[in-house]
Every structure is written in structure tokens, then in C-alpha cells.
């Protein structure tokens, strides 16, 4: 099963050099153990465009959909046999990047 593991912070590109080394080592471990699917960082919410095309005429709005002090700054998509393994991996990822993490299964 695949899981979206989101990294939460209050700023973008805030990883220190030591955190980046730890994140790269964590990523290498995911690859070696067969849990790696994809990972990436996200631009700040101010770079977002929200699109609402529910009524047949697309409306484009600059900025984030939700105003929040904290937001998703990056993510992993991990392969894990069950939620317990995904949570263990996410805890290791949280330690590596020194940020809060949210885990959600893909359905």
C-alpha cells in the first residue's frame, strides 16, 4: 500500500545543511529497503493558484486555498505493507527532517 507522508513547517526551504544530510540518508534508506516511490518539496503557499471549475466557468485565485501558519512544505510517497510500517518510517522521516509529519494512505 502507498502512503502520502507530508512534511509540515511554517516556512519553505528551511532545512539546515545537517538536516539535508539526514534527509538524504533517510531517502537512501527508503530506496535500499524498497519503500521509496517519490519525494519532493513544495513552493510556499503564496505561489499557489486555486482553481474552482465546479460551475462550468473556471475561477483562478492567487494564493493558498486555506490561510494557515503551518503548511505542507514537502512530501514522500512511500510503499509499506501496512500503516504500522508507514508510521515507523514517518517517525524516522520526522526525525531526519526535524519537522512534524502527517501520514495518509492512498485509496
Amino acid at each position: 500500500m502507498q502512503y502520502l507522508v507530508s512534511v509540515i513547517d511554517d516556512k519553505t526551504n528551511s532545512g539546515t545543511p545537517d538536516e539535508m544530510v539526514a534527509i538524504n540518508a533517510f531517502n537512501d534508506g527508503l530506496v535500499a529497503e524498497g519503500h521509496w516511490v517519490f519525494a519532493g518539496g513544495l513552493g510556499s503557499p503564496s505561489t499557489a493558484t486555486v482553481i474552482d471549475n465546479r460551475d462550468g466557468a473556471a475561477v483562478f485565485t492567487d494564493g493558498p486555498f486555506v490561510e494557515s501558519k503551518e503548511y505542507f512544505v514537502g512530501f514522500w510517497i512511500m510503499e509499506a505493507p501496512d500503516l504500522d510500517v508507514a508510521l515507523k518510517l514517518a517517525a524516522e522521516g520526522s526525525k531526519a527532517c526535524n519537522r512534524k509529519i502527517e501520514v495518509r494512505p492512498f485509496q
Side-chain angles (χ1 to χ4, degrees):
M1 179 164 211
Q2 292 184 344
Y3 295 86
L4 172 65
V5 179
S6 303
V7 180
I8 303 166
D9 200 354
D10 61 356
K11 53 193 160 295
T12 306
N13 295 323
S14 61
T16 66
D18 287 345
E19 290 167 346
M20 296 309 297
V21 168
I23 292 166
N24 289 334
F26 175 71
N27 290 343
D28 290 344
L30 289 176
V31 170
E33 296 171 14
H35 298 294
W36 177 266
V37 176
F38 185 80
L42 299 172
S44 73
S46 64
T47 65
T49 302
V50 176
I51 304 161
D52 185 351
N53 195 14
R54 293 176 290 178
D55 293 326
V59 176
F60 296 81
T61 307
D62 291 336
F65 174 70
V66 176
E67 295 288 334
S68 175
K69 183 177 180 180
E70 295 180 317
Y71 50 90
F72 296 140
V73 297
F75 64 94
W76 287 278
I77 299 174
M78 296 179 186
E79 184 74 38
D82 56 45
L83 181 59
D84 289 338
V85 173
L87 294 175
K88 177 185 169 292
L89 294 168
E92 294 171 12
S94 175
K95 184 174 184 173
C97 70
N98 196 33
R99 306 289 183 280
K100 291 190 284 185
I101 300 287
E102 177 184 275
V103 177
R104 292 189 194 184
F106 279 116
Q107 300 193 9

